[in-house]
């Protein structure tokens, strides 16, 4: 695991250009460049207390309670003791400070782990081991194989030929295939000579720190010469050195100025929608509190004027205390008494609930990935309930949906398809891990990890089928892969993309082993025989050509051009004789595409010696032109890549992570919309969309937006809208705003299901202010959206667009540094941890190892957390409003004197002891249905998206319910005790007895209400509920005992009240009556509501009660085989290939070891061979294996000798 820090530091003065000199710290010091240390912590031991308290009192609730505390120490207005506020306030501040301290200690540890790594730095003409934090701009450092790159470096020299280094960029982009970087020749000559490196005094001028991962511009001035620097000369922090012995680099950017840290995105404090709603409600409650206090203050003024004068005889007023001043003091007194409408314990409880639900995620074994020993992790504790409200999921593709592992799956050669397995009846079998694998033991150079199941293909190779041999010969020759052989027979390939590596590995296993290359030759082992082909030209791949060709001369002197590329591109360049073979191959390509495979078409032609010499001369002249070089070369490539003869096609599987299609299907059923934002090509992304069930053949249409001008993009978007919803123009809901005048875009219903695929060029136009609403409207009408070739910035822009205009909760999930900005922009960010790197995880709110765990995170943990939090808030406001409103009614009977209706100790302990644990038990353990039913019925997730469980409407209902309950709790005991005497004739109706009765009725009423709210009773819940009632009576009898009164008469004035009152039957009958009257309307309302208009939860819980057992697992969705003409992505490198590098005129690697043939049963020695598995001549269409496709014209290749088995 690697940690590179999370947060960027504050920017200093804007830097316009970076200027530095190698090996000269004195020269570089005045520029005040950042060191290589990173700092993500906020506090140190001296600043923690003042800073943390300052931050905590910026929260309106904490400041409010501090204000109350100040009021309570003023004797003229306080009727409550100071400890009723100070105890909970200190508790809140302490818990929050402890949590902040723990988080900051972890950040310190992370910083120290990174900053204290060691690297070799050239100082005073010696290599010294230094900590990362001591590395400075302008230093020369030495890196060794498998070492993390310390800072952003300019590559100087390496151990590899041509000064190459191989790096893994998983931390940056999630891709595990290796990239190549190459140093300048002038610096490469420095080698590892310490003296030469110490004398190197080159000056670099380059761009200032920025977050562009794919671009670098600068110049190196050395020995009077100026050299251009680009991205190919730079090693970025966050990458890892692979397959390279050592390299030296010059530090250009350090610490927070590296591109990795610049990409960290703006760290924002994320708050849930419930938090935002709570802020609004708390402000409303403050307003309502002021309104109640004003009414009571006015009541006090009138009472003082009308009734108070009668008391002045024996209670004389102080000088100047008239009725108006008394009302003013009463206002503040009631602010103190009624402050429990916003109890401080609410915030403590919310933090505890969130922390507990976070632990459930951390402890969930069903989200633990044993293969990499990676558990799920809740990296934040403040967003759990938001997981139950997600409407849009934005996902990366490579490394998130897919494993970024390519496997050679199927192929078509000369019209025959290979790769499927059939039984003896001709039925196609599903390939599983138990299916018999092809035995490659005849080939000592085969890759043991390669798996293939169709035995007929290896039989065709052994039977020397000429088309099959040429097919694999092409795969072994037409590529830019580099081979490494450290031990005899142990080959490893370095490919620009995993696709190329998979194709070369397939050829290797089928007996055509690519062994080594030089700038002008390629050595392969063909069926055990070492052969060297002269490499005459590489016509390299790029995104426009979508193909690659090589021209080679065989050992026999035969000139051939081998070409592979996208089907549409190759088909345009085929000879007329291939038309019928092309039709057969197209049908097979459609079948491959239907299975989500990435396809390439392979073709070849033989060249005339004279023509080629003439072409080569013109090619040389064009390649040396200064102007219009690219177009001239393209013309020459077009000229020679004509009249090709079709060989067949390959099909590669970009392996999805386990469970991805099922997860996407489940989330779709939960009405969660999934958008894939990827840097991959359109074809690749589209077919991954099909293979993972995001796009489906059953969809009415899939719109492709690929225009290259704003007008065309707008038109394509409008055409799509018209197709989905003819004649509709309205975009906005007339009501509802997101604040600051931003209108909420409505969800529009469309007939059918649609998909949208848009490429990076079109997206750039679509995200412009004038068109963003058109794009958003079109995209939101679709079931699935795929954005291809997008930059990290565009990913964040798309997320922000949805957040801005949809008002929906968003989640972004990714695995690389290019996903960090998207992860930070979304309401919730999820990082995929594992082999792809940790940068996304460091910036995320939640992390786990596999995409499939997302459905459990949302449908189980998210839904439960949201449900529990909503139940908690509804119940908490109910019990506290009920508690507080009783004070309001009592004020009309105590002369508005701000006397409390309850004992002070009850007021202090009500929220902290008597009602704390039961509501926490419900909020931590309650669940409407278990996790199995949650998966079985994903529709249960929808109410969270619509905020049905807690909203302003629900809050208003809760307040009305509390108002009714408080009237019952005050007036029923009041009436019951009015003019009442005990059985012995003594009076019952004293203030203390009334206070005890009222608070006991209150506790029973709110406890019964809690029981009605709870759906899932556990032993813990039951213990908390009953234990709290027992605790109330134990504490009450203790507080009201003689011993406590004697210890402190002023603190415990209710002496004997409990034992004198609670032994009366009428007291218990009053408690029973008030409890029934409080819950009766709730039970009635719920009964009628469930009968007349039940919610989905009501229906589901009824079904669960009927089932009384765990349901059977849902039936597997059968894959619908697509037969459309959509083609899979051109399985090739994502960037321009290594063609120029391969032919650059110097050996790429040192001479390889002496080689044996590597094949034990080679070439023509097929005596005694018996077909394995499926018969060598069996075909699903009934044709013999080696028979030609009917009516396909014979090509020159098909005239080769074909071996057939007489037994066929």
């Amino acid at each position: 695991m690697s940690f590179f820090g999370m947060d960027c530091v504050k920017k200093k003065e804007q830097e316009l250009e970076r200027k530095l000199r190698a090996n000269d710290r004195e020269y570089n010091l005045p520029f005040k460049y950042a060191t290589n240390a990173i700092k993500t912590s906020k506090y140190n031991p001296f600043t923690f207390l003042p800073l943390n308290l300052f931050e905590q009192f910026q929260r309106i609730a904490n400041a409010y309670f501090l204000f109350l505390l100040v009021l309570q120490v003023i004797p003229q207005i306080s009727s409550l003791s100071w400890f009723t506020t100070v105890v909970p306030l200190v508790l809140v501040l302490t818990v929050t400070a402890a949590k902040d301290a723990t988080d900051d200690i972890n950040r310190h540890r992370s910083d120290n782990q990174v900053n204290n790594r060691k690297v070799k730095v050239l100082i005073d003409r010696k290599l010294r081991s230094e900590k990362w934090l001591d590395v400075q701009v302008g230093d020369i450092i030495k890196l060794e194989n498998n070492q993390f790159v310390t800072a952003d470096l300019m590559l100087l020299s390496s151990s590899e030929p041509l000064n190459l280094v191989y790096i893994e960029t998983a931390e940056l982009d999630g891709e595990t295939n290796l990239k190549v970087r190459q140093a300048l020749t002038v610096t490469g000559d420095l080698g590892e000579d310490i003296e030469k490196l110490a004398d190197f005094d080159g000056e670099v001028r380059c761009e200032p720190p920025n977050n562009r991962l794919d671009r670098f511009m600068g110049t190196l001035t050395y020995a009077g010469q100026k050299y251009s620097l680009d991205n190919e000369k730079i090693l970025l922090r966050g990458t890892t050195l692979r397959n390279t012995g050592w390299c030296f680099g010059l530090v250009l950017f350090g610490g927070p100025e590296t591109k990795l840290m610049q990409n960290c995105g703006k760290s924002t404090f994320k708050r849930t929608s419930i938090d935002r709603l709570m802020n609004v409600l708390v402000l409303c409650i403050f307003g309502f509190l002021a309104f109640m206090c004003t009414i009571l203050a006015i009541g006090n003024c009138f009472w003082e004027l009308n009734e108070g004068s009668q008391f002045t005889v024996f209670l004389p007023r102080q000088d100047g205390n008239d009725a108006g001043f008394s009302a003013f003091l009463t206002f503040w007194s009631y602010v103190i008494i009624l402050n429990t409408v916003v109890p401080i314990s609410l915030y403590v409880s919310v933090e505890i609930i969130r922390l507990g639900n976070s632990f459930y995620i951390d402890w969930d074994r069903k989200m633990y990935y044993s293969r990499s020993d990676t558990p799920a992790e809740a990296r934040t504790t403040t967003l759990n309930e938001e997981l139950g409200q997600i409407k849009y999921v934005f996902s990366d593709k490579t490394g998130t949906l897919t494993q970024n592992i390519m496997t050679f799956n199927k192929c078509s050669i000369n019209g025959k398809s290979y790769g499927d397995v059939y039984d003896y009846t001709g039925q196609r079998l599903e390939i599983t891990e138990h299916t018999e694998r092809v035995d490659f033991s005849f080939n000592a150079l085969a890759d043991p990890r390669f798996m293939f199941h169709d035995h007929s293909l290896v039989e065709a190779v052994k039977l020397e089928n000429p088309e099959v041999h040429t097919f694999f010969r092409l795969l072994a020759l037409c590529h830019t892969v580099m081979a490494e052989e450290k031990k005899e027979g142990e080959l490893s390939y370095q490919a620009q993309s995993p696709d190329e590596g998979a194709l070369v590995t397939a050829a290797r296993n089928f007996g055509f082993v690519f062994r080594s290359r030089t700038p002008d030759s390629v050595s392969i082992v063909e069926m055990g025989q070492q052969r060297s082909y002269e490499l005459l030209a590489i016509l390299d791949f790029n995104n426009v050509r979508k193909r690659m060709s090589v021209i080679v001369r065989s050992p026999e002197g035969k000139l051939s051009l081998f070409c592979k590329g996208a089907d549409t591109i190759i088909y345009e360049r085929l000879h007329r004789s291939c038309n019928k073979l092309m039709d057969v191959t197209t049908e097979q390509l459609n079948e491959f595409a239907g299975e989500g495979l990435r396809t390439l078409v392979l073709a070849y032609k033989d060249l005339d010696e004279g023509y080629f010499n003439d072409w080569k001369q013109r090619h040389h002249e064009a390649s040396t032109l200064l102007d219009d070089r690219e177009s001239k070369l393209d013309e020459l490539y077009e000229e020679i890549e004509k009249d090709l003869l079709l060989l067949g096609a390959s099909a590669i599987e970009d392996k999805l992570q386990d469970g991805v299609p099922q997860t996407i299907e489940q989330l779709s059923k939960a009405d969660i919309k999934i958008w894939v934002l990827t840097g991959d090509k359109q074809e690749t992304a589209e077919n991954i969309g099909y293979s993972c069930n995001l796009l489906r053949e059953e969809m009415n249409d899939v719109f492709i937006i690929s225009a290259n001008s704003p007008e065309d993009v707008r038109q394509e978007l409008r055409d799509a809208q018209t197709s989905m919803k003819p004649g509709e123009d309205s975009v906005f809901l007339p009501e509802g705003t997101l604040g600051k005048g931003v209108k909420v875009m409505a969800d529009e219903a469309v007939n059918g299901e649609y998909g949208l695929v848009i490429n990076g060029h079109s997206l750039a136009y679509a995200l412009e202010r004038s068109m963003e609403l058109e794009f958003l409207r079109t995209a939101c009408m679709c079931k699935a959206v795929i954005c291809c070739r997008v930059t990290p910035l565009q990913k964040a822009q798309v997320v922000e667009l949805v957040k801005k205009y949809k008002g929906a909760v968003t989640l972004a999930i990714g695995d690389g540094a290019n996903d960090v900005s998207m992860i930070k922009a979304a309401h919730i960010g999820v990082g995929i941890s594992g082999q792809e790197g940790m940068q996304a995880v460091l910036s995320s709110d939640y992390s786990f190892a596999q995409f499939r765990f997302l459905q459990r995170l949302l449908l189980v943990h998210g839904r439960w957390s949201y449900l529990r939090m909503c139940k908690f808030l509804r119940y908490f406001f109910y019990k506290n409003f009920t508690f507080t409103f009783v004070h309001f009614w009592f004020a009309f009977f105590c002369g508005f004197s701000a006397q409390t209706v309850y004992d002070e100790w009850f007021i202090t302990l009500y929220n902290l002891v008597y009602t704390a644990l039961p509501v926490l038990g419900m909020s931590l353990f309650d669940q409407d249905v278990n996790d199995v039913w949650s998966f079985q019925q994903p529709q249960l997730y929808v109410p969270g998206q619509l905020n049905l469980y807690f909203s302003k409407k629900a809050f208003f209902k809760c307040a009305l319910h509390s108002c009714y309950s408080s009237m019952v709790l005050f007036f029923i005991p009041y009436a019951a005790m009015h003019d009442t005497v005990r059985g012995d004739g003594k009076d019952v109706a004293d203030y203390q007895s009334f206070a005890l009765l009222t608070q006991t009725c209150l506790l029973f009423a709110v406890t019964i209400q809690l029981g009605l709210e709870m759906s899932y009773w556990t032993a813990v819940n039951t213990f908390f509920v009953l234990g709290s009632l027992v605790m109330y009576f134990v504490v009450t009898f203790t507080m009201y005992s003689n011993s406590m009164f004697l210890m402190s008469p002023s603190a415990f004035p209710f002496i004997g009240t409990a034992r004198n009152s609670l032994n009366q039957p009428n007291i218990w009958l009053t408690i029973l009556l008030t409890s029934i009257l409080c819950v009766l309307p709730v039970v009635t309302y719920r009964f009628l509501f469930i009968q007349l208009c039940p919610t989905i939860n009501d229906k589901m819980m009824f079904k669960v009660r009927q089932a009384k057992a765990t349901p059977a697992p849902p039936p597997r969705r059968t894959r619908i085989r697509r037969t459309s003409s959509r083609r899979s992505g051109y399985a090739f490198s994502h960037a321009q290939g290594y063609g120029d590098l391969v032919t650059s005129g110097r050996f790429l690697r040192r001479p390889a070891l002496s080689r044996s043939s590597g094949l034990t049963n080679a070439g023509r020695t097929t005596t005694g061979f018996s077909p394995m598995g499926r018969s060598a001549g069996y075909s699903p269409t009934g044709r013999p294996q080696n028979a030609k496709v009917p009516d396909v014209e014979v090509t020159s290749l098909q005239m080769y000798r074909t071996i057939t088995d007489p037994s066929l």
Side-chain angles (χ1 to χ4, degrees), residues 606-637:
D606 294 330
L607 297 175
D608 175 70
E609 188 78 40
Y611 167 74
F612 174 71
N613 289 333
D614 174 61
W615 182 89
K616 189 175 184 181
Q617 177 61 34
R618 288 184 286 135
H619 178 268
H620 177 72
E621 292 170 1
S623 62
T624 55
L625 290 174
L626 294 178
D627 298 324
D628 210 20
R629 180 191 302 176
E630 295 296 326
S631 63
K632 293 293 185 186
L633 287 174
D634 283 342
E635 289 175 14
L636 286 169
Y637 293 168

Side-chain angles (χ1 to χ4, degrees), residues 1008-1207:
I1008 294 170
Q1009 180 66 34
L1010 179 77
L1012 293 177
E1013 291 286 344
M1014 205 130 42
S1015 306
Y1016 185 65
W1017 284 85
T1018 65
V1020 177
N1021 286 34
T1022 308
F1023 174 75
F1024 282 172
V1025 170
L1026 298 179
S1028 292
L1029 286 174
V1030 171
M1031 177 65 71
Y1032 166 70
F1033 287 109
V1034 170
V1035 171
T1036 300
F1037 276 98
T1038 303
M1039 294 283 190
Y1040 298 177
S1041 65
N1042 296 353
S1043 57
M1044 298 299 288
F1045 175 78
L1046 294 172
M1047 190 183 304
S1048 177
S1050 61
F1052 304 102
F1054 279 52
I1055 179 173
T1057 306
R1059 63 176 181 265
N1060 288 332
S1061 294
L1062 294 178
N1063 62 359
Q1064 298 296 309
N1066 64 329
I1067 296 295
W1068 289 102
L1069 285 171
T1070 305
I1071 293 171
L1072 178 64
L1073 178 62
T1074 53
S1075 299
I1076 291 172
L1077 288 175
C1078 281
V1079 300
L1080 189 61
V1082 179
V1083 175
T1084 306
Y1085 172 78
R1086 290 188 181 178
F1087 173 77
L1088 293 175
F1089 196 81
I1090 289 173
Q1091 295 300 317
L1092 300 176
C1093 47
T1095 64
I1096 186 171
N1097 285 64
D1098 298 329
K1099 295 175 184 176
M1100 197 65 248
M1101 292 177 74
F1102 177 72
K1103 188 182 289 187
V1104 171
R1105 283 194 295 270
Q1106 279 188 321
K1108 292 184 180 179
T1110 304
R1116 290 181 60 186
R1117 186 179 186 276
T1118 54
R1119 178 180 290 279
I1120 296 177
R1121 190 171 291 277
R1122 292 171 55 240
T1123 56
S1124 74
S1125 60
R1126 293 191 181 92
R1127 188 75 66 251
S1128 267
Y1130 175 39
F1132 221 166
S1133 51
H1134 299 179
Q1136 187 143 341
Y1138 294 156
D1140 294 338
L1141 194 58
V1142 168
T1143 57
S1144 57
R1146 290 176 63 182
F1147 285 92
L1148 299 175
R1149 292 202 173 273
R1150 299 181 182 85
L1153 307 165
S1154 59
R1155 301 183 175 90
S1156 60
S1157 67
L1159 283 155
T1160 56
N1161 181 15
R1164 306 172 190 279
T1165 56
T1166 55
T1167 311
F1169 169 75
S1170 60
M1172 299 174 290
R1174 199 174 86 198
S1175 167
Y1178 179 80
S1179 165
T1181 58
R1183 292 192 291 268
Q1185 177 206 346
N1186 293 318
K1188 301 186 183 82
V1189 178
D1191 301 324
V1192 175
E1193 297 177 32
V1194 177
T1195 64
S1196 58
L1197 176 65
Q1198 293 164 337
M1199 297 175 185
Y1200 276 65
R1201 177 172 62 88
T1202 304
I1203 295 177
T1204 55
D1205 191 329
S1207 65

